[in-house]
């Protein structure tokens, strides 16, 4: 009898230990850390774009107490150095060595075109927060890739439509002489019904635009359309201000006047126009909270790059709340597809190519105080629009 009791207790203890072990494994699985790889340009002259994107994402993580969707979140931030080859090595390391569950980020198209295929081939969930090249939105779309930004052509198309709505008949375009800039001008023409009086393509890196402004003055167009990113754009705005054309010829642009360059150009960028799907004055609760808390935390005003990073983290957070974790990737992809969050831009849903359907605005550089300049949305140009490449996407 004693021997039987002894065996009974040993078996019972074994069952209890096994059950406890199973429970501990289950709890450990449920409490799995969320690993996010964030790839951004964080060195060189373009670092400010990556810093805004990173800070926007990290603000949303902080708002969830460091636990997106209730999972302790480890964000591994990596500098792509605006070098496609280096970027591929970094994402490979993030996936193979660090085991990230989600990759987010990428500021520039040449990096996105390099890293997109390796990431989606690995079946790693990838959320783009700025760059949206045409191939990725079209024929190379992939179920593992989503964007919280826009397709690259859409801001240029917005300005083309605005120019047509204003009744401009003659427009001079100016953009650097490289392929992506020529694509930007083509996108502008897609919705512009008037005539391109002249296309000006100064060499990449040029900083003296006296000859270009002389040509514009001779042509006397209804408007100028400029795609001039970064430092070239800053110099273009400064020289437009002193050219005698400001106040006479409307200055329309994309990726030229924005929250990054406006603090530099200040009053010289005041009153000039651009296009965007986001602005700090969009009137919805999510955006008001974002702008207020971003400015308070980082001591500078947010840009569209910060807004896109912030929305990506919010998207992940609420999708994980629906699924309860990352173990079932198919469920997570379905939850993300539903876009179960309130975007800072208001209207937001995913198209068939998993790029947003959203509004686009005419935005203007305005002076808020003696030292604060920001972009203000002053007119909606497109309402709930998708991009031109979604029809080519076959998932």
């Amino acid at each position: 009898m004693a021997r039987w009791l002894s065996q009974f207790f040993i078996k019972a203890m074994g069952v209890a230990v096994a059950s406890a072990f199973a429970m501990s494994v289950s709890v450990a699985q449920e409490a799995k850390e969320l690993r996010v790889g964030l790839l951004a340009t964080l060195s060189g002259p373009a670092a400010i774009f990556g810093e805004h994107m990173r800070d926007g994402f990290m603000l949303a993580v902080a708002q969830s107490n460091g636990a997106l969707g209730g999972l302790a979140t480890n964000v591994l931030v990596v500098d792509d150095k605006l070098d496609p080859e280096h970027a591929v090595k970094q994402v490979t390391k993030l996936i193979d060595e660090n085991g990230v569950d989600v990759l987010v980020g990428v500021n520039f198209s040449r990096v996105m075109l390099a890293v997109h295929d390796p990431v989606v081939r690995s079946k790693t969930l990838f959320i783009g927060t700025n760059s949206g090249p045409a191939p990725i939105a079209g024929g190379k779309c992939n179920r593992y890739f989503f964007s919280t930004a826009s397709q690259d052509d859409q801001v240029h198309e917005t300005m083309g439509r605005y120019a047509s709505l204003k009744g401009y008949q003659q427009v001079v375009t100016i953009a650097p002489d490289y392929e992506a800039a020529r694509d930007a001008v083509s996108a502008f023409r897609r919705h512009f019904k008037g005539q391109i009086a002249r296309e000006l393509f100064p060499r990449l890196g040029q900083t003296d635009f006296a000859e270009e402004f002389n040509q514009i003055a001779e042509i006397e167009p209804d408007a100028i359309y400029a795609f001039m990113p970064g430092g070239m754009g800053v110099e273009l705005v400064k020289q437009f201000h002193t050219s005698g054309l400001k106040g006479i010829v409307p200055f329309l642009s994309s990726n030229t006047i924005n929250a990054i360059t406006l603090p530099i150009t200040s009053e010289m960028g005041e009153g000039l126009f651009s296009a965007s799907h986001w602005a700090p004055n969009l009137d919805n609760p999510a955006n008001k909270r974002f702008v207020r808390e971003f400015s308070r935390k980082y001591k500078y005003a947010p840009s569209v790059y910060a807004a896109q990073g912030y929305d990506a983290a919010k998207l992940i957070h609420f999708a994980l709340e629906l699924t309860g974790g990352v173990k079932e990737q198919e469920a997570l992809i379905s939850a993300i597809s539903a876009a179960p969050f309130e975007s800072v831009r208001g209207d937001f849903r995913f198209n068939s190519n998993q790029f947003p359907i959203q509004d686009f605005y005419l935005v203007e550089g305005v002076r808020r105080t003696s030292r604060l300049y920001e972009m203000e949305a002053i007119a909606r140009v497109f309402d709930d629009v998708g991009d031109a490449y979604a029809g080519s996407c076959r998932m």
Side-chain angles (χ1 to χ4, degrees), residues 295-319:
S295 301
R296 181 183 300 156
K297 182 177 179 65
Y298 298 113
K299 310 304 180 189
Y300 69 91
S303 67
V304 66
Y305 311 104
Q308 292 165 170
Y310 181 84
D311 265 1
K314 288 296 187 182
L315 173 65
I316 295 168
H317 175 72
F318 286 103

Side-chain angles (χ1 to χ4, degrees), residues 110-191:
R110 60 179 170 174
V111 173
M112 178 62 81
L113 289 169
V115 302
H116 173 268
D117 288 2
V119 176
V120 299
R121 277 200 304 266
S122 72
K123 297 184 177 180
T124 300
L125 187 60
F126 188 2
I127 300 175
T129 55
N130 191 55
S131 174
I136 291 172
K140 295 181 70 175
C141 66
N142 190 282
R143 61 195 305 274
Y144 292 100
F145 181 84
F146 292 83
S147 173
T148 57
S150 64
Q151 197 280 318
D152 288 346
D153 288 4
Q154 289 184 280
V155 287
H156 316 301
E157 293 171 346
T158 300
M159 293 313 299
R161 178 174 171 79
Y162 173 73
S164 289
L165 292 173
K166 290 291 290 183
Y168 297 146
Q169 297 300 314
Q170 298 274 332
V171 172
V172 171
T173 65
I174 181 168
D177 190 10
Y178 66 96
E179 184 178 0
R182 291 181 177 272
D183 290 344
V185 173
S186 296
F188 173 85
R189 297 182 67 160
R190 190 175 294 149
H191 286 273

Side-chain angles (χ1 to χ4, degrees), residues 159-332:
M159 293 313 299
R161 178 174 171 79
Y162 173 73
S164 289
L165 292 173
K166 290 291 290 183
Y168 297 146
Q169 297 300 314
Q170 298 274 332
V171 172
V172 171
T173 65
I174 181 168
D177 190 10
Y178 66 96
E179 184 178 0
R182 291 181 177 272
D183 290 344
V185 173
S186 296
F188 173 85
R189 297 182 67 160
R190 190 175 294 149
H191 286 273
F192 177 55
K193 306 305 181 185
Q195 180 182 358
I196 303 298
R198 187 168 299 173
E199 292 181 344
L200 301 175
F201 290 104
R203 72 183 185 280
L204 186 62
Q206 180 175 321
T207 56
D208 183 352
F209 301 102
E211 175 57 31
E212 284 77 13
F213 284 126
N214 285 337
Q215 292 186 52
I216 292 169
E218 290 175 4
I219 294 168
E220 298 182 345
D222 297 323
I224 298 168
Y225 171 67
F227 168 69
M228 199 68 70
M232 288 184 72
V234 169
E235 290 302 319
L236 186 75
V237 168
K238 289 179 178 179
Q239 292 168 46
F240 176 72
H241 184 75
T242 59
S243 68
L245 295 172
K246 189 173 183 180
I248 299 173
V249 181
F251 187 96
L252 315 180
S253 73
S254 55
N255 297 337
T256 305
I257 306 295
N258 55 38
I260 303 293
T261 63
L262 193 55
I264 302 170
T265 59
S266 58
E267 75 277 2
M268 292 176 284
E270 188 177 3
L272 305 188
F273 298 114
S274 189
S276 182
H277 51 268
W278 176 84
N281 68 313
L282 294 185
D283 189 13
N284 66 74
N287 195 47
K288 289 179 179 178
R289 182 189 181 194
F290 164 65
V291 172
R292 181 179 65 251
E293 296 190 10
F294 186 98
S295 301
R296 181 183 300 156
K297 182 177 179 65
Y298 298 113
K299 310 304 180 189
Y300 69 91
S303 67
V304 66
Y305 311 104
Q308 292 165 170
Y310 181 84
D311 265 1
K314 288 296 187 182
L315 173 65
I316 295 168
H317 175 72
F318 286 103
L320 286 171
E321 285 200 330
L322 286 178
T323 63
V326 295
K327 186 177 179 182
E328 297 298 332
Q329 192 181 51
E330 292 301 317
L332 183 57

